[in-house]
Every structure is written in structure tokens, then in C-alpha cells.
Amino acid sequence: MEASEALLALEQSDAGYVMGYPDDLKLRSSMTLFAEAAPEMDVFQRVLDKFFGGEKDQKTLDLLASFLT
């Protein structure tokens, strides 16, 4: 939660610039997982909104779906 809030406080909204590669990909995947696991906690979706245009990581969604079927 604190890390997510710290990211939101940054002026920069380019995940690649802030995190570098491949951590920018990990950020998107993690925020997707957390947003799916706890949709009532909007901070994770807000990170996705700021850094990834609101788009969740499709590979992460696919993996989650495979565990639920």
C-alpha cells in the first residue's frame, strides 16, 4: 500500500523511467494481481491508471483465470 501511494505521489507517469526494465513489467503484473484480489482497495487500480492507462496485464489475468477453472 505504501509503495503504491509513493508511486502515485510521483510527478512522473512513465513506469519504464521510474522502475526500469523489467521491473516496470513486474509492477503492472503485481498491480493487476492486487487489483483483482482486492478490488475494494482502489489504490492498485489507480497505479494502473497512472502508469499503464488503466490497462491490466493480460498474462496475469490469464493465469488467474486458469487457476479458477
Side-chain angles (χ1 to χ4, degrees):
M1 295 290 296
E2 288 180 36
S4 297
E5 293 291 350
L7 287 167
L8 291 171
L10 297 174
E11 288 184 33
Q12 180 63 248
S13 62
D14 180 336
Y17 179 81
V18 173
M19 305 293 290
Y21 177 84
D23 291 336
D24 57 339
L25 302 178
K26 295 176 189 177
L27 176 65
R28 187 175 184 187
S29 179
S30 296
M31 292 298 113
T32 299
L33 178 63
F34 300 153
E36 290 293 307
E40 70 282 0
M41 303 177 88
D42 74 332
V43 67
F44 308 120
Q45 183 60 51
R46 289 188 298 141
V47 171
L48 288 166
D49 292 344
K50 177 175 181 169
F51 290 97
F52 305 101
E55 295 291 323
K56 293 181 178 174
D57 181 64
Q58 190 57 52
K59 287 184 181 182
T60 302
L61 294 173
D62 292 345
L63 281 170
L64 284 172
S66 74
F67 287 120
L68 298 175
T69 58

